[in-house]
Amino acid sequence: MKPQRLLHEALLFSADRPGCADKTAVIVEGQAYTYAELKDAALRLAGAFRARGLQRSDRVAIYMDNTWPCVVSIYATLLAGGTFLVVNAQTKADKLEFILNDSGAKLLLTDWHLSKQFLPVLARAPELAGVICSGNVPEGQPVERFDAVVRDTAPQAPCNSVIPLDLAALIYTSGSTGHPKGVMQTHQSMVFAAGSLIEYLRLSSEDRILCVLPLAFDYGLYQLLMSIQLGATLVLERSFTYPAQVFARMREHKVTVFPGVPTIYAMLI
């Protein structure tokens, strides 16, 4: 197999690996999605991004919970040649506005239940060219529906002009001591980091990783990247708010890896 050079190549390699297309890539809220389904949805959404004018290295803001649309949006951005930034769903309107303008985001992917935060911001983000929203979107809103965009767009080949030194992601700090700050991450650096973590933790394609950390948090994001790079299965939860539910997921899906931070383990104890 060819060595991985770009972050999104992991999805293409894993989906095309013999016997892996029908393997479960992600389980979200009890719903399983295969590698073939993730590749297809991401290529369709990538085509929609490019049809809406997204160019190489343009920024795509993903203001979502840990959901299937969030996972698809991350890989769609990379496949379209863009740079993604995942914004924590708990971010309020003022900081969201700052991040959108600071990054120069061209597209915003979001969830309708966050509309009270993002709708007032749209008029104050002049570089934003479009909004694609998951969830139950009422008629007459200035957004496109995520499911319809994916369904109505044919899959397109990945952008072929991306190089390893291009930016793959901007990872923003929380801004607790001032304005959020975007940390620039290239494809090369993120592929290396994911590979190093996989080797250090001795992970394999047989692992089933449970992620309760937000994908806006770097270590949460790397659970997704490592899982897809391995051809493993990620069990994705919105949060650790309800530990009993998380324990039930562990048992139900035979989880083998549980990454966390000290506060999570303190709650467990």
Side-chain angles (χ1 to χ4, degrees), residues 4 22 33 58 77 104 109 142 173 269:
Q4 183 184 344
D22 294 329
Y33 300 90
D58 279 350
T77 303
L109 279 290
T173 63
I269 292 171

Side-chain angles (χ1 to χ4, degrees), residues 200-215:
Y200 176 76
L201 297 171
R202 300 179 183 177
L203 302 177
S204 78
S205 61
E206 301 304 312
D207 278 315
R208 300 172 74 84
I209 303 170
L210 174 61
C211 181
V212 300
L213 301 167
L215 296 180

Side-chain angles (χ1 to χ4, degrees), residues 230-251:
L230 284 164
T233 297
L234 182 73
V235 182
L236 188 62
E237 289 292 310
R238 285 178 182 256
S239 71
F240 195 65
T241 305
Y242 304 105
Q245 178 177 310
V246 173
F247 284 131
R249 297 283 193 217
M250 287 184 184
R251 291 191 294 269

Side-chain angles (χ1 to χ4, degrees):
M1 188 175 68
K2 295 189 301 181
Q4 183 184 344
R5 298 170 58 251
L6 304 173
L7 200 56
H8 53 275
E9 287 177 337
L11 173 59
L12 304 177
F13 292 164
S14 291
D16 294 341
R17 194 176 301 158
C20 199
D22 294 329
K23 182 178 179 179
T24 298
V26 186
I27 300 172
V28 187
E29 298 179 328
Q31 176 68 46
Y33 300 90
T34 66
Y35 274 90
E37 288 174 317
L38 177 54
K39 177 185 173 182
D40 179 71
L43 287 172
R44 288 175 182 273
L45 188 57
F49 288 170
R50 292 165 70 178
R52 286 154 180 76
L54 191 77
Q55 302 293 318
R56 173 183 169 191
S57 295
D58 279 350
R59 277 52 162 164
V60 176
I62 303 169
Y63 179 46
M64 290 177 157
D65 281 311
N66 285 6
T67 59
W68 168 247
C70 183
V71 172
V72 173
S73 298
I74 288 170
Y75 280 98
T77 303
L78 295 168
L79 289 162
T83 300
F84 73 86
L85 50 136
V86 184
V87 182
N88 195 306
Q90 296 181 1
T91 300
K92 301 304 181 186
D94 57 341
K95 287 187 177 176
L96 175 64
E97 178 184 345
F98 175 83
I99 290 172
L100 292 176
N101 289 320
D102 183 66
S103 65
K106 295 294 190 296
L107 294 172
L108 172 64
L109 279 290
T110 188
D111 298 322
W112 181 250
H113 74 87
L114 299 171
S115 59
K116 288 185 179 179
Q117 303 301 328
F118 75 76
L119 282 178
V121 169
L122 300 185
R124 301 193 296 272
E127 293 191 57
L128 202 61
V131 182
I132 299 174
C133 190
S134 69
N136 298 317
V137 181
E139 295 293 333
Q141 298 298 326
V143 302
E144 296 183 88
R145 289 175 172 79
F146 180 91
D147 289 344
V149 169
V150 173
R151 182 190 65 235
D152 297 340
T153 307
Q156 289 192 13
C159 177
N160 61 11
S161 60
V162 179
I163 62 172
L165 292 179
D166 283 346
L167 286 185
L170 291 172
I171 300 178
Y172 272 84
T173 63
S174 64
S176 56
T177 59
H179 289 307
K181 298 174 180 63
V183 179
M184 297 185 292
Q185 296 286 340
T186 65
H187 283 264
Q188 181 173 272
S189 67
M190 297 187 80
V191 168
F192 176 80
S196 296
L197 287 166
I198 287 169
E199 183 175 352
Y200 176 76
L201 297 171
R202 300 179 183 177
L203 302 177
S204 78
S205 61
E206 301 304 312
D207 278 315
R208 300 172 74 84
I209 303 170
L210 174 61
C211 181
V212 300
L213 301 167
L215 296 180
F217 175 52
D218 56 356
Y219 198 48
L221 175 62
Y222 272 98
Q223 304 312 312
L224 170 63
L225 302 178
M226 291 189 295
S227 182
I228 299 301
Q229 187 167 322
L230 284 164
T233 297
L234 182 73
V235 182
L236 188 62
E237 289 292 310
R238 285 178 182 256
S239 71
F240 195 65
T241 305
Y242 304 105
Q245 178 177 310
V246 173
F247 284 131
R249 297 283 193 217
M250 287 184 184
R251 291 191 294 269
E252 178 185 359
H253 300 299
K254 298 179 173 60
V255 166
T256 61
V257 181
F258 179 50
V261 294
T263 51
I264 286 177
Y265 297 118
M267 290 175 68
L268 290 176
I269 292 171

